Amino acid sequence: MDPNGSINPIGGFPRRRGPAVVVVLFLLPTLAAGAACFTSIFSFGDSIADTGNQCILLPADPPCTLPFGRTFFHRSTGRNGDGRLMIDFIAEYLGLPLVPPSLGGGNRSDFRTGANFAVGGATALDCELLKNRGIPCYLDNISLGVQLDWFRKLLPTLCDSSGACSSLLNNSLVLLGEIGGNDYNFAFSSGISLNKIQELVPMVINTIGLALKEVIKFGATNILVPGNFPVGCVPRILSRFRSSNPRDYDPSTGCLAQYNQFAQLHNEQLQMELNDTRRLYPHVNIIYVDYYNALMPVYLSPKKFGRYLL
């Protein structure tokens, strides 16, 4: 971890590991120090972290049926993958139950060890704002602000009899994101130019910053905030924006250079926002999770990691 509290991947990599495992391997040293203290996990975001909310809202969506979930759970669980997600590996490492989807109902005891508010297809910005810019949303009312409202309503049911929540959240790990990727993905799919999409970045970062401050005010003191992935390496981006100009590609990876530069722009601005928030709340452990650099070795040396789908 660097002095600014970001996880910066270094060193060797194990063979035949999927992207989720590769990223989590770099989280473990950071989590180890507080592993014995964490009693719950609260998560916000999109399909990268969703453990079932999407299928509660839209039970006919693809993640709600096999082959999703086939390699570990041997059934569909609503996760956007064939096995566990990064949040699952984190929970297992901390010795906690897998984090249940918040929309799954249940009683107070079901969420004492955490709740997952993430929803596949969620955006950082409200759908109305995106639609006003000609950007479609996958589903209304699942944005980061909506997820915070769900958290706000659930929280009083989990606190002690006096209504104090500080003890609960002081011993909780909060995973705030990845979020914002869909704001850009939906814009990419709409044919909006990269220059126009860049106008969204400060708004997305501001929204994440406000959410971060809100969970801190609730009492959270240990917060992971992931950045964006190297989106120029994602198959659907490579396919949709295929170019006949070799200079559009990074020769070391075959990824589309300007889309990775866009992801880096988001990540740079996000880290600036986190640094500003650390100065305001020096008692809070705010950790930037560097998904971008954690995954780049996969694209630089894919044969080391075996076969998988991203």
Side-chain angles (χ1 to χ4, degrees):
M1 190 167 70
D2 74 15
N4 293 320
S6 64
I7 297 170
N8 189 13
I10 57 174
F13 295 83
R15 292 184 179 273
R16 300 198 176 278
R17 297 289 189 179
V21 180
V22 171
V23 174
V24 171
L25 284 172
F26 295 111
L27 277 171
L28 299 188
T30 300
L31 296 176
C37 302
F38 295 129
T39 58
S40 56
I41 299 172
F42 294 97
S43 174
F44 306 85
D46 55 24
S47 60
I48 303 301
D50 183 9
T51 54
N53 286 321
Q54 179 181 349
C55 288
I56 293 169
L57 293 171
L58 297 170
D61 271 14
C64 313
T65 58
L66 291 171
F68 289 86
R70 66 183 176 182
T71 64
F72 181 80
F73 300 100
H74 307 299
R75 60 182 175 84
S76 169
T77 62
R79 288 165 172 79
N80 279 262
D82 62 355
R84 288 164 290 181
L85 306 178
M86 284 177 276
I87 188 173
D88 297 318
F89 288 106
I90 292 170
E92 289 179 347
Y93 179 76
L94 296 177
L96 295 172
L98 301 186
V99 187
S102 65
L103 300 182
N107 54 41
R108 180 176 183 265
S109 62
D110 293 329
F111 299 115
R112 281 300 299 178
T113 56
N116 193 342
F117 303 92
V119 186
T123 54
L125 301 175
D126 289 339
C127 274
E128 197 61 34
L129 188 154
L130 293 171
K131 288 176 180 177
N132 287 339
R133 289 175 168 264
I135 302 169
C137 271
Y138 182 67
L139 184 67
D140 288 341
N141 299 320
I142 58 171
S143 67
L144 182 56
V146 173
Q147 294 177 29
L148 284 169
D149 285 341
W150 295 340
F151 180 53
R152 191 182 298 109
K153 291 173 183 175
L154 177 66
L155 194 55
T157 70
L158 305 179
C159 301
D160 61 32
S161 57
S162 68
C165 300
S166 57
S167 177
L168 170 70
L169 289 176
N170 191 50
N171 294 316
S172 298
L173 180 67
V174 174
L175 181 59
L176 187 61
E178 184 270 339
I179 192 72
N182 284 328
D183 302 63
Y184 309 137
N185 291 337
F186 296 153
F188 294 152
S189 299
S190 300
I192 299 172
S193 70
L194 268 178
N195 285 339
K196 291 296 291 182
I197 297 172
Q198 283 184 6
E199 296 175 6
L200 293 177
V201 175
M203 292 186 284
V204 168
I205 299 304
N206 181 63
T207 299
I208 296 171
L210 291 173
L212 174 60
K213 293 178 180 70
E214 185 159 358
V215 296
I216 290 171
K217 290 175 181 176
F218 287 145
T221 56
N222 296 283
I223 308 164
L224 303 178
V225 188
N228 206 348
F229 297 94
V231 294
C233 302
V234 174
R236 68 174 178 271
I237 297 293
L238 287 165
S239 176
R240 182 179 180 89
F241 301 104
R242 183 182 292 114
S243 173
S244 59
N245 185 351
R247 287 182 291 184
D248 289 338
Y249 294 88
D250 180 342
S252 63
T253 60
C255 302
L256 282 165
Q258 64 179 151
Y259 287 88
N260 277 354
Q261 290 165 5
F262 177 87
Q264 290 174 308
L265 172 68
H266 169 94
N267 293 341
E268 289 166 4
Q269 293 197 19
L270 177 59
Q271 290 179 77
M272 291 170 62
E273 178 69 27
L274 299 187
N275 285 335
D276 289 343
T277 307
R278 289 185 187 106
R279 284 189 283 270
L280 292 173
Y281 303 97
H283 66 289
V284 177
N285 188 25
I286 302 169
I287 301 170
Y288 171 68
V289 185
D290 193 350
Y291 283 177
Y292 187 100
N293 283 310
L295 281 175
M296 281 310 295
V298 175
Y299 301 112
L300 289 165
S301 305
K303 291 181 180 179
K304 289 183 178 180
F305 299 89
R307 297 177 61 190
Y308 55 82
L309 295 175
L310 178 60

